Amino acid sequence: MKSWKAMIAALGVGAMVLGIAGAAAADPTNAKKGEIRTIECDQGLGTLTIALNGNAKLTPGLVTTSTQVAVPYRSHIEASFTPTGGEIEFFVDDIEKPAPSNGRLAVCTFHDEGPAPGGTFVLDGTVWISYTPSP
């Protein structure tokens, strides 16, 4: 059971600059620098496509369509994993560090689901970010 929790955590946190999941479902424990993710944000930011800038928890991401940077400071992930032929299992993960004081803060959400080693997963999350101004 702990291995799927690690997988979901890696998918939900490591594979999200900010909490984003997606194509990492093929190998969610191997989130890599340069992966591309999509999130929906408030504060007029809308849909952002982000390139991961590392593989640590809450690592910054670069917006692919501009020079903006999104820096996560908090995430909340709710996930479920259903092993093949087994019962659904639930997982919640929260990570937080102090919010920056720059005033450019937004809340973003994401959703992903699909196959995973040994079963299927569903992942929903919220990530709080600080962002650089748009050029």
Side-chain angles (χ1 to χ4, degrees):
M1 176 151 72
K2 286 186 179 201
S3 63
W4 76 262
K5 285 183 180 181
M7 175 191 67
I8 294 294
L11 175 64
V13 179
M16 349 169 286
V17 180
L18 322 148
I20 317 137
D27 187 3
T29 59
N30 194 18
K32 292 188 171 114
K33 184 175 180 176
E35 283 190 24
I36 306 297
R37 304 286 176 225
T38 302
I39 56 176
E40 297 292 328
C41 301
D42 65 4
Q43 301 301 320
L45 295 175
T47 302
L48 296 179
T49 302
I50 307 288
L52 295 179
N53 195 27
N55 57 1
K57 292 181 178 183
L58 300 178
T59 191
L62 305 174
V63 177
T64 61
T65 57
S66 72
T67 58
Q68 279 186 296
V69 178
V71 181
Y73 61 91
R74 179 179 172 196
S75 71
H76 173 78
I77 299 166
E78 295 182 9
S80 65
F81 177 76
T82 306
T84 305
E87 296 285 323
I88 191 168
E89 302 171 28
F90 296 95
F91 174 68
V92 175
D93 190 34
D94 291 295
I95 300 172
E96 186 170 359
K97 61 184 181 181
S101 58
N102 68 14
R104 293 180 308 274
L105 306 178
V107 179
C108 306
T109 59
F110 59 91
H111 171 84
D112 193 24
E113 58 186 81
T120 59
F121 73 93
V122 176
L123 182 73
D124 288 291
T126 303
V127 63
W128 289 257
I129 66 168
S130 169
Y131 58 92
T132 58
S134 195

